[in-house]
């Protein structure tokens, strides 16, 4: 297929896991701009999707999906007249069944009506358990459950899979999954009418210890964000495009190819010139991830040959050289890359509380005026620390033991600039909270509770990593420089929570 199509060899996704990556593609907005960064958020009703645009133009729309993070309640089904979701980790959700469903729909679709068909295959995902014929082809000896256990037991840096032979066996199991999926894509393409624009993409990559991580979601290294993107219009011009592009470019390109104008608020650009054999101008690529389980909030910008990644709220920035992403990059980003990254970071509207030092158990409780959009603890230790969310979704409590290293909580309110109340205690005794004044100096405010109204203004964050001047509890407010919609909370039903837990997305 790629030999007859346009291959974008430097495509990158906007988030290294399924939910925010697909929503970014559907809305042509970065995850932080469409407010779908975490499983607890749904797409706001006033943000248009690709399917809605095509349906409004008279296209017959259909989707056949594996429902692991592609459920209707997150907003993915909007605009689809025919929506079929099949459960992950079941035969019904496997690629062969999804292909059968899609081919059946194509056979029954009105012949004279334009159509839009979307498939979400999930099979290149743990557990790696392809059918026996593909396992034999790659000499696979691990069961699906064994692959899952290996991946998640060796998930974090410092828990690396140090056995090269076992790592090779794990990758062989993954390759068998890819081969199975590839065979099903071939069956699907054989059923597609000739006068059809076909787009094949991956929503993220998969890490195999290249930089200490396994699976995906927690880093912005290229093994997780560099993705497949191949487009073939009816009158194809086979080509390899080296100019960096993003998945949020896909939706505006599809609309332009269909003779439709993308919404003005969409952030992607039309890649049609590349399909016609013309050069594309280079521009920065953006990626981000917000991960509760790993305690990470990252923003990244790619401007080859360098990539810069900033960790909110610790303030640490890493510069990486491409393609190896090694430590040979400069210690600081060159001006253009630094400016692009800083602008991206400065858009973020968030709060952070830091617990530094102390010889007892510290409890920090935060209550917000509206629901929390996301709450990400960082630096917590599973054996001694705990995070508890209020059932109402308007509060969060962090309890942590002695903090020789920096610990704390990053959070966003559903409505930016909402007021908050914060209470800090140690051993039941109220602790003063420290904030920055206009000059950037830290000062202790009255004992808990500490209240900050919507109009409260804090000093800007420093350029470098956060360094607490003393032991204590510190509160930082970072008012975003970009207007974003109010986040829409997602009510996850028990079945969805069980599924996400089994797939490793929640504890």
């Amino acid at each position: 297929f790629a030999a007859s199509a346009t291959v974008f060899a430097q495509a990158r996704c906007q988030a290294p896991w399924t939910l925010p990556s697909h929503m970014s593609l559907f809305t042509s907005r970065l995850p932080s701009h469409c407010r779908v960064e975490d499983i607890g958020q749904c797409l706001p009703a006033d943000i248009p999707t690709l399917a809605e645009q095509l349906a409004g133009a008279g296209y017959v729309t259909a989707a056949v999906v594996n429902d692991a993070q592609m459920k209707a309640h997150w907003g993915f089904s909007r605009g689809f007249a025919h929506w079929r979701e099949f459960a992950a980790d079941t035969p019904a959700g496997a690629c062969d069944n999804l292909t059968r469903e899609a081919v059946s729909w194509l056979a029954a679709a009105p012949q004279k009506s334009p159509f839009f068909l979307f498939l979400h295959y999930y099979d290149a995902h743990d557990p790696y358990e392809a059918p026996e014929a593909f396992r034999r082809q790659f000499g696979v000896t691990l069961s699906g459950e064994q692959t899952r256990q290996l991946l998640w037991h060796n998930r974090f840096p410092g828990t690396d899979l140090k056995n090269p032979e076992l790592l090779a066996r794990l990758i062989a199991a993954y390759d068998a999954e890819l081969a199975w999926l590839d065979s099903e894509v071939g069956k699907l393409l054989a059923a597609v009418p000739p006068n059809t624009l076909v787009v094949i993409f991956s929503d993220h990559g998969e890490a195999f210890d290249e930089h200490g991580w396994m699976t995906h979601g927690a880093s912005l290294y290229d093994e997780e964000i560099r993705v497949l993107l191949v487009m073939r219009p009816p009158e194809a011009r086979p080509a390899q495009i080296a100019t960096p592009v993003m998945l949020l470019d896909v939706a505006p390109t599809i609309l332009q190819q269909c003779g439709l104008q993308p919404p003005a608020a969409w952030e992607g650009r039309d890649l049609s010139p590349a399909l016609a054999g013309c050069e594309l101008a280079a521009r920065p690529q953006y990626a981000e991830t917000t991960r509760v389980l790993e305690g990470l909030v990252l923003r990244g910008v790619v401007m080859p040959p360098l990539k810069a990644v900033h960790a909110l709220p610790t303030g640490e920035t890493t510069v990486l050289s491409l393609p190896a992403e090694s430590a040979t990059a400069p210690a600081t980003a060159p001006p253009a890359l630094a400016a692009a990254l800083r602008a991206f970071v400065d858009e973020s509207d968030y709060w952070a509380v830091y617990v530094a030092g102390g010889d007892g158990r510290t409890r920090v409780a935060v209550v917000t005026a509206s629901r929390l959009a996301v709450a990400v603890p960082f630096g917590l230790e599973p054996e001694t620390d705990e995070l508890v969310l209020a059932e109402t979704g308007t509060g969060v409590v962090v309890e942590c033991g002695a903090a020789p290293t920096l610990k704390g909580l990053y959070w966003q309110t559903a409505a930016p600039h909402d007021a908050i109340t914060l209470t800090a205690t140690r051993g039941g005794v109220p602790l003063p909270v420290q904030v920055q004044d206009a000059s950037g100096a830290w000062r202790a405010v009255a004992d808990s509770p500490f209240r900050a109204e919507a109009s409260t203004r804090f000093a800007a964050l420093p350029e470098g990593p956060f360094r607490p001047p003393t032991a204590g509890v510190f509160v930082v407010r970072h008012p975003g420089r970009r207007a974003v919609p109010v986040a829409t909370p997602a009510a996850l039903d028990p079945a969805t929570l069980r599924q996400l837990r089994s797939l490793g997305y929640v504890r």
Side-chain angles (χ1 to χ4, degrees):
F1 174 81
S4 65
T6 299
V7 177
F8 294 90
Q10 292 292 330
R12 288 179 174 86
C13 62
Q14 278 47 79
W17 56 293
T18 297
L19 173 60
S21 180
H22 270 95
M23 197 61 79
S24 179
L25 183 144
F26 273 35
T27 64
S28 192
R29 293 191 187 200
L30 289 165
S32 54
H33 296 174
C34 69
R35 299 306 299 274
V36 182
E37 302 173 75
D38 183 62
I39 59 172
Q41 298 164 294
C42 293
L43 183 67
D46 59 346
I47 294 182
T49 69
L50 172 61
E52 288 176 315
Q53 298 299 300
L54 290 168
Y59 279 70
V60 178
T61 57
V64 179
V65 305
N66 179 302
D67 74 352
Q69 298 184 53
M70 287 295 294
K71 287 180 176 289
H73 75 256
W74 277 302
F76 286 116
S77 65
R78 283 173 28 189
F80 287 105
H82 177 85
W83 176 267
R84 296 292 307 278
E85 58 181 55
F86 297 90
D89 282 2
T90 69
C95 58
D96 51 359
N97 185 59
L98 267 60
T99 298
R100 283 192 295 269
E101 289 283 335
V103 170
S104 176
W105 185 87
L106 282 169
Q111 297 298 309
K112 294 185 179 180
S113 298
F115 72 85
F116 171 52
L117 172 63
F118 172 78
L119 277 85
H120 172 236
Y121 289 117
Y122 195 66
D123 302 270
H125 194 285
D126 76 281
Y128 309 144
E129 46 186 358
E132 187 58 33
F134 297 97
R135 291 170 58 82
R136 286 196 305 270
Q137 180 182 345
F138 287 87
V140 177
T141 58
L142 299 172
S143 69
E145 185 56 31
Q146 286 174 322
T147 65
R148 173 163 284 176
Q149 293 297 321
L150 280 172
L151 288 167
W152 288 94
H153 285 168
N154 300 277
R155 166 112 171 93
F156 293 88
T159 62
D160 306 22
L161 186 59
K162 296 180 172 58
N163 185 328
E165 181 183 351
L166 196 53
L167 180 61
R169 290 164 62 190
L170 186 62
I171 293 173
Y174 180 65
D175 290 343
E177 282 279 307
L178 295 177
W180 180 32
L181 175 56
D182 188 66
S183 70
E184 290 300 320
V185 171
K187 296 174 186 176
L188 174 68
L189 293 174
V192 171
N195 60 332
T196 304
L197 168 66
V198 178
V199 180
I200 299 177
F201 69 94
S202 53
D203 59 337
H204 57 75
E206 193 84 328
F208 288 102
D209 243 353
E210 293 90 343
H211 294 91
W213 291 99
M214 287 282 203
T215 72
H216 55 271
S219 90
L220 299 182
Y221 290 111
D222 264 13
E223 55 265 27
E224 296 194 41
I225 67 167
R226 189 173 167 193
V227 294
L228 171 76
L229 179 58
V230 185
M231 296 186 180
R232 188 181 71 185
E235 296 181 0
R237 290 173 176 262
Q240 289 270 341
I241 306 299
T243 304
V245 301
M246 295 182 278
L247 285 192
L248 57 75
D249 298 330
V250 170
T253 304
I254 289 175
L255 289 190
Q256 291 282 6
Q257 287 288 300
C258 295
L260 304 173
Q261 189 66 28
W266 280 11
E267 297 166 358
R269 62 168 171 174
D270 176 25
L271 303 180
S272 294
L275 300 180
C278 300
E279 290 286 330
L280 291 173
R283 68 168 184 162
Q285 293 169 292
Y286 298 90
E288 57 185 283
T289 191
T290 301
R291 297 287 294 188
V292 176
L293 288 183
E294 293 85 1
L296 292 169
V297 184
L298 305 177
R299 300 286 185 266
V301 178
V302 180
M303 296 176 67
L306 297 175
K307 173 193 294 184
V309 178
H310 183 85
L312 285 68
T314 62
E316 296 171 319
T317 297
T318 303
V319 182
L320 303 165
S321 58
L322 301 171
E325 298 186 287
S326 65
T328 59
T332 58
L337 179 58
L341 180 65
R342 189 68 197 181
F344 190 16
V345 170
D346 282 347
E347 293 176 355
S348 304
D349 191 298
Y350 68 89
W351 295 80
V353 59
Y354 303 85
V355 179
D359 54 3
R361 190 164 184 80
T362 303
R363 184 180 191 271
V364 177
V366 177
V367 178
T368 59
S370 68
R371 291 182 67 95
L372 287 160
V374 66
V376 181
F378 55 90
L380 300 194
E381 301 171 23
E383 298 79 10
T384 59
D385 306 330
E386 185 178 14
L387 173 76
V388 179
L389 291 170
E391 290 186 5
T392 60
T394 59
V396 61
V397 173
V398 174
E399 288 200 24
C400 55
T405 59
L406 199 64
K407 301 181 180 182
L409 177 73
Y410 161 103
W411 75 91
Q412 295 176 340
T413 54
H417 310 301
D418 263 352
I420 65 105
T421 299
L422 184 147
T423 304
T425 59
R426 180 171 293 146
V429 178
L431 281 176
V433 174
Q434 298 197 54
V435 300
Q436 283 178 302
D437 60 25
S439 69
W442 291 97
R443 62 181 177 84
V445 297
D447 288 349
S448 300
F450 164 70
R451 293 184 178 87
E453 302 300 326
S455 59
T456 300
R457 290 292 177 263
F458 290 77
L461 284 184
E463 293 288 330
F466 177 80
R467 304 289 187 216
T470 62
V473 176
F474 303 83
V475 178
V476 167
R477 171 80 172 95
H478 189 278
R481 296 184 180 177
R482 176 189 175 89
V484 294
V486 173
T488 304
L492 298 175
D493 58 83
T496 299
L497 280 172
R498 284 194 300 272
Q499 180 194 67
L500 291 172
R501 191 170 291 114
S502 73
L503 297 172
Y505 290 104
V506 295
R507 287 194 177 95

